[in-house]
Amino acid sequence: MPRILTVAAAQLGPLQLSDSREVAVQRMLRLFERAKQRGAELLVFPELALTTFFPRHYREHLDEADQWFETEMPSPVTKPLFDAAKASGVGFTLGYAEMALEEDETFCLRKRRFNTQILVNGQGEIVLKYRKIHLPGHAEFDSNRKAQHLEKRYFEVGNLGFPVVRAAMGNLSGINMGMMICNDRRWPEAWRVLGLQGVELVMLGYNTPSANTTGIGFEAPHLRVQHSHLSIQAGAYQNATFAVACAKAGTEDGFEMIGHSIIVNPQGEILAQATTWDDEVIIADCNLDQVQLGRSTVFDFDKHRQPWAYARITDQVGAVEPHVWSRGKPYSPGLTRDADKQKA
Ligand code: CDT
C-alpha cells in the first residue's frame, strides 16, 4: 500500500489591522471545511495567520504590541480550529505570535516573544511547536524604508532548533514532519537540518511583500515569487521531501504580498499552486514513498555527505575574505580530509 497523505495549503487573503482574530478564525474555518470536503487530511495555514503582518507597524514600547500576541494556545478564540480538527480527523498547522513567560539563557523568568508555528493532529492535540529562527528586517524604526519590517524588534530568535517529529497523520501511522517559517525557507541550512532528521513533509507559512521596500537596490516584483519558489523547490529536492508553503496574500494595510502558495514533491516539482491573492485552498496527494528515490541515490546522505568539508557552516557566521593568490605561490588550504581523519 503506498503511503499517501492528502495535504492542503489554506492560503489567506489579506487581514487588515482592523480585522479581529474572530474574523481570521471564521475565514480559516471556512477554508478548513473546503479543504476537508476535497479530501485534505492536513492543512497548512500562513505565518502570523491570526492578525495582519504587524511587524510592518512600529510601536515605540514593546508592550504596545502585546495586542498581537497569543498568551495561550488554544485560546477561546482559536479553540474552534482545534475542535474542527477533532471533529474531522484533519490536522493543521497554525502560525501565530507567541508570548510565553519563560526562563531565558540567564535563568531570568520573563515575557518572551516568538514567531511560532504549531502542528496539530486530527485529535486536536499539539504534536510539534517551532519558533522562527531566521528573523529578517530590523529592530529600530527605519525612515529610509517605504515599509517597516520589524521582526527583529518584536521577536526573539527561536530557541527550539529545527525539530522533526514522527507522528500519525491522516490514515498513516507515522510521518516524519518538520516546520519552518517564511524567511527560513531561503536558508539551505534550515532544510538540511530537517533533512538530516529524515523529514518527509516540511510545512511552512509565509508573509512576503511583493516589493523590496528597503530602499536598497532594485528587485523586479516577479523575482520575489521566483526566489520563493526557487528556495522551496531546491530545499525539497535536495532533501528528498515534500513541502507545503502557504502564504498570506494580497494588499494588507496598503502593502502587497506575493501569495503563490505551493505544494512541492521531492523532485522539486510544483504539484499545486495558488492563483489568487485571496482565501484559497490548494491540494495535492503526496505519495510519501517518493522520498525514497532521492534519499537512496543522489542524496543518500550516509554515502555521500562530507561533513569535514562543511565545518565553516557551523564555525562561522559571516563570510571571511578569501586568500589572495600571488604568482608562484600555489594556494593550499590548511584544511584537509586527512588531518580531520587523523584527529579522529
Ligand atoms: N515574514 C518574512 O520572513 N518575510 C521575509 C521578507 C524578506 S523580503 C525578501 C521573507 O523572507 O519572505
Side-chain angles (χ1 to χ4, degrees):
M1 277 283 281
R3 296 169 63 229
I4 293 177
L5 185 76
T6 304
V7 298
Q11 177 176 286
L12 281 172
L15 280 169
Q16 309 305 336
L17 194 54
S18 56
D19 286 332
S20 66
R21 287 173 173 72
E22 283 81 358
V23 165
V25 169
Q26 280 312 311
R27 281 168 52 185
M28 291 162 81
L29 286 170
R30 279 198 289 276
L31 289 171
F32 203 108
E33 188 54 35
R34 271 156 57 186
K36 189 186 85 181
Q37 278 171 11
R38 289 171 62 189
E41 298 172 292
L42 173 60
L43 60 152
V44 175
F45 287 115
E47 173 190 31
L48 301 178
L50 300 169
T51 62
T52 189
F53 185 70
F54 65 84
R56 70 168 73 85
H57 299 291
Y58 178 74
R59 296 289 182 270
E60 190 177 348
H61 299 291
L62 268 191
D63 289 353
E64 294 170 65
D66 283 1
Q67 51 171 318
W68 291 309
F69 284 78
E70 312 302 314
T71 52
E72 53 178 340
M73 192 55 67
S75 60
V77 179
T78 52
K79 188 167 173 293
L81 290 167
F82 290 73
D83 293 342
K86 208 168 168 180
S88 61
V90 176
F92 68 94
T93 72
L94 176 68
Y96 62 98
E98 178 190 11
M99 187 186 300
L101 191 62
E102 214 175 87
E103 276 187 359
D104 63 17
E105 63 282 6
T106 64
F107 305 107
C108 172
L109 187 68
R110 62 177 176 82
K111 248 165 87 169
R112 305 187 68 183
R113 297 169 174 84
F114 298 100
N115 186 341
T116 295
Q117 187 172 295
I118 49 169
L119 170 63
V120 177
N121 67 13
Q123 286 73 53
E125 302 159 310
I126 297 176
V127 295
L128 183 63
K129 180 190 272 195
Y130 168 69
R131 289 169 169 168
K132 185 174 183 179
I133 288 185
H134 298 99
L135 297 174
H138 48 110
E140 299 304 329
F141 186 83
D142 181 349
S143 55
N144 292 318
R145 294 183 65 117
K146 289 205 189 81
Q148 304 297 303
H149 194 116
L150 291 154
E151 286 198 60
K152 287 197 192 298
R153 180 176 195 80
Y154 294 128
F155 303 118
E156 291 184 51
V157 171
N159 56 358
L160 305 175
F162 288 102
V164 172
V165 68
R166 185 169 182 82
M169 199 58 74
N171 289 319
L172 302 178
S173 58
I175 305 175
N176 302 347
M177 293 173 287
M179 297 193 282
M180 55 176 75
I181 301 177
C182 196
N183 192 261
D184 290 322
R185 72 194 187 285
R186 304 183 195 274
W187 298 90
E189 296 90 337
W191 289 94
R192 183 61 95 227
V193 172
L194 294 176
L196 285 168
Q197 297 167 84
V199 75
E200 296 173 307
L201 178 64
V202 175
M203 292 156 281
L204 71 105
Y206 63 98
N207 283 272
T208 297
S210 301
N212 178 343
T213 55
T214 58
I216 306 168
F218 171 73
E219 208 178 334
H222 72 279
L223 293 181
R224 306 284 275 195
V225 174
Q226 187 171 327
H227 294 157
S228 177
H229 287 183
L230 188 66
S231 305
I232 298 159
Q233 291 177 259
Y237 165 64
Q238 291 169 347
N239 294 282
T241 178
F242 285 89
V244 184
C246 183
K248 180 126 64 58
T251 305
E252 200 176 70
D253 304 338
F255 295 96
E256 252 178 35
M257 293 181 298
I258 62 171
H260 286 81
S261 303
I262 49 173
I263 302 174
V264 173
N265 74 11
Q267 305 271 13
E269 289 173 299
I270 295 178
L271 301 178
Q273 178 175 319
T275 54
T276 71
W277 273 3
D278 219 328
D279 293 2
E280 179 178 350
V281 172
I282 59 168
I283 202 156
D285 291 332
C286 299
N287 179 348
L288 296 167
D289 294 336
Q290 289 174 359
V291 304
Q292 288 314 326
L293 177 64
R295 57 190 65 182
S296 57
T297 56
V298 67
F299 297 116
D300 182 335
F301 292 165
D302 269 337
K303 232 188 230 167
H304 306 303
R305 288 187 78 250
Q306 300 293 340
W308 66 273
Y310 315 144
R312 282 187 193 278
I313 288 179
T314 51
D315 290 354
Q316 215 173 293
V317 181
V320 294
E321 292 298 320
H323 175 86
V324 179
W325 177 75
S326 52
R327 180 149 295 121
K329 291 193 179 157
Y331 176 51
S332 167
L335 179 73
T336 69
R337 183 164 181 248
D338 306 338
D340 199 61
K341 291 220 148 164
Q342 281 156 10
K343 252 193 284 161

